[in-house]
Amino acid sequence: MLLSSSPVISHMGDARVLQGTTTAFTQHSSATGHDYLIQVALPQVAPPQEGYPVLLVLDGNRHLDLFTAARDILGRRGYDKAPSDLAIVAVGYAGETDGQAKAARYIVTKLRLKDFTPPLTTGTAPEGTGGGEDFLDYLTQALPPELASRYPLDLKRPALVGHSLGGLFALHAQQKAPEAFGAIFAISPSLWWRQENDPASWPLRLACSEAAGPVYIAAGGREQSPQPRRQDPERDRLRVQRAMIDNAHEHARQLREHCPQAAVQWRLFEGEDHGSVMWPAARAVMERLLRPR
């Protein structure tokens, strides 16, 4: 975690908030049955009167440091943005660590597969999937009051960013609860999961709401190309079949067509693959959220 060497203390009610530090707590969700590790990286500035604006980061254990570094570097003086007052709230799983054992990684993979996949419109979801509605309920109902009791945050409409299955969930949240989020960032969304498991509703029939905020969808330019050096023909077949780029691009096109007020943006990061795309994507997210001078 990124910690400040000389934190400044501010107050909100009885809570002591350390500006420029990252703190954490765990919360159990009765909706999902899972225990979440919530890490909150506060900026090095005093909170605005209405509270710090918030970016919710899915797969928080993995992506917290990346987004915190992007915020702090791009928000430095001399750059063409104001010093950042953005708070980053990373949602991960309790017990997960950077050096987690193989067994722990397997458990986390199962938990995120359940949380990030939406229920099917027809048929029955594969075992251990389809919990997206419960996770959305946790993010919008149970988490905000707990955060509000601890930190001076503006939680009216936080931004949300997800990658891979997290990107699939972010697009699901945009459709089901557009009023709950200010901006949606779906990086390399695993739309193939819907295509493979819910073919009766594919292609997706997208809804539009007057409450819809900006939507940013991106993918890496190498994501649906074979990788000859890995010598794994089956993996190469899936990369092509799952059409990560084509599906994400088409989703952006359809959403832009059906919901012009959502200000949909599409971006292809040439030369990037499914993992490496998060490096340029983090910068792109921050450039859209940091307030101009």
Side-chain angles (χ1 to χ4, degrees):
M1 294 188 293
L2 301 177
L3 302 176
S4 169
S5 58
S6 56
V8 178
I9 298 176
S10 63
H11 299 267
M12 183 181 183
D14 294 330
R16 301 178 72 196
V17 180
L18 299 178
Q19 294 169 204
T21 68
T22 297
T23 55
F25 64 91
T26 59
Q27 184 181 27
H28 177 77
S29 168
S30 59
T32 68
H34 300 159
D35 295 318
Y36 296 97
L37 174 65
I38 308 301
Q39 299 178 87
V40 180
L42 297 178
Q44 297 182 9
V45 297
Q49 184 175 1
E50 66 275 16
Y52 295 116
V54 172
L55 171 64
L56 287 173
V57 178
L58 303 182
D59 285 318
N61 309 68
R62 181 181 304 170
H63 296 315
L64 170 67
D65 286 352
L66 172 64
F67 281 98
T68 303
R71 176 198 66 187
D72 293 344
I73 291 171
L74 295 179
R76 284 178 179 170
R77 298 188 181 202
Y79 189 68
D80 63 348
K81 307 285 183 184
S84 176
D85 61 359
L86 181 70
I88 297 173
V89 176
V91 182
Y93 295 96
E96 183 184 6
T97 64
D98 290 338
Q100 60 187 301
K102 183 177 181 180
R105 289 199 302 271
Y106 174 72
I107 293 172
V108 169
T109 297
K110 288 181 61 178
L111 295 179
R112 68 189 294 273
L113 182 62
K114 177 74 172 181
D115 283 346
F116 294 167
T117 51
L120 303 186
T121 56
T122 59
T124 303
E127 183 178 359
T129 67
E133 288 291 297
D134 291 334
F135 185 58
L136 181 59
D137 182 69
Y138 168 68
L139 286 186
T140 58
Q141 302 299 319
L143 179 58
E146 185 64 26
L147 288 169
S149 72
R150 295 170 179 265
Y151 307 98
L153 303 175
D154 180 358
L155 293 162
K156 291 190 294 293
R157 294 190 72 181
L160 174 69
V161 60
H163 168 246
S164 193
L165 284 172
L168 172 68
F169 173 83
L171 294 178
H172 173 69
Q174 190 275 330
Q175 287 286 288
K176 293 297 183 179
E179 73 288 345
F181 303 100
I184 295 288
F185 299 91
I187 313 302
S188 302
S190 295
L191 289 162
W192 59 265
W193 190 89
R194 293 292 300 263
Q195 185 177 20
E196 291 181 7
N197 292 288
D198 200 4
S201 66
W202 188 267
L204 298 177
R205 289 175 282 277
L206 301 179
C208 184
S209 166
E210 291 297 324
V215 180
Y216 181 87
I217 303 174
R222 298 172 57 192
E223 291 201 57
Q224 66 183 50
S225 301
Q227 297 174 308
R229 291 185 179 182
R230 295 188 67 131
Q231 298 183 342
D232 189 341
E234 177 59 19
R235 183 184 178 90
D236 286 345
R237 184 188 67 80
L238 286 175
R239 284 170 63 89
V240 174
Q241 175 184 306
R242 289 176 169 175
M244 188 73 74
I245 298 171
D246 293 344
N247 284 338
H249 190 193
E250 178 61 14
H251 191 99
R253 187 195 68 77
Q254 288 192 34
L255 189 59
R256 185 185 296 118
E257 179 179 304
H258 294 299
C259 199
Q261 66 265 37
V264 180
Q265 290 183 288
W266 158 254
R267 177 76 179 273
L268 185 67
F269 292 102
E270 295 290 354
E272 304 297 344
D273 215 322
H274 193 62
S276 67
V277 70
M278 286 303 291
W279 182 256
R283 173 169 184 153
V285 169
M286 287 302 157
E287 287 179 337
R288 284 156 180 78
L289 293 179
L290 296 185
R291 302 181 183 186
R293 293 187 186 276

